Amino acid sequence: MEPALLTAWTAHYRALGITGFRLAFHFPDHAPAAWRDQLLATAAALGITAATVSTGPWHEHTNTQLRDTLREQAGPGWHLLADSDELHTPPRSRR
């Protein structure tokens, strides 16, 4: 994820009224430390602390593990799980 994408993603969900964010970041081993630090600093500037940060190769179970960690931290209730390239918009009421 790029800092500009994180900023746009956060703005999108805040515009929908979402106020609580639990973000998991995964960085492959080859990701430069400066790039990782910049993305985490962008999150902090947006008022978001990474709930979990992992590094290493991406395996088929990585996404499931990150998702389950976030759900456990968030506790019971409704959760929206969205990748950085997913800008979900709920349907509008037709009342």
Side-chain angles (χ1 to χ4, degrees):
M1 177 185 285
E2 299 172 5
L5 179 56
L6 176 59
T7 301
W9 184 90
T10 304
H12 173 79
Y13 287 109
R14 283 188 171 146
L16 294 176
I18 295 173
T19 58
F21 293 88
R22 292 195 176 275
L23 299 185
F25 291 94
H26 176 81
F27 299 100
D29 290 330
H30 64 273
W35 183 79
R36 181 185 66 234
D37 294 344
Q38 181 184 22
L39 189 57
L40 294 173
T42 299
L46 292 167
I48 300 169
T49 302
T52 188
V53 177
S54 68
T55 58
W58 185 268
H59 296 288
E60 66 233 17
H61 61 272
T62 303
N63 194 49
T64 302
Q65 288 175 332
L66 293 173
R67 181 202 65 213
D68 291 349
T69 297
L70 292 175
R71 282 183 169 164
E72 184 178 314
Q73 290 175 2
W78 188 88
H79 307 120
L80 171 68
L81 299 171
D83 285 346
S84 62
D85 61 346
E86 297 176 339
L87 302 179
H88 298 281
T89 303
R92 295 188 185 268
S93 174
R94 296 185 181 201
R95 292 189 231 173

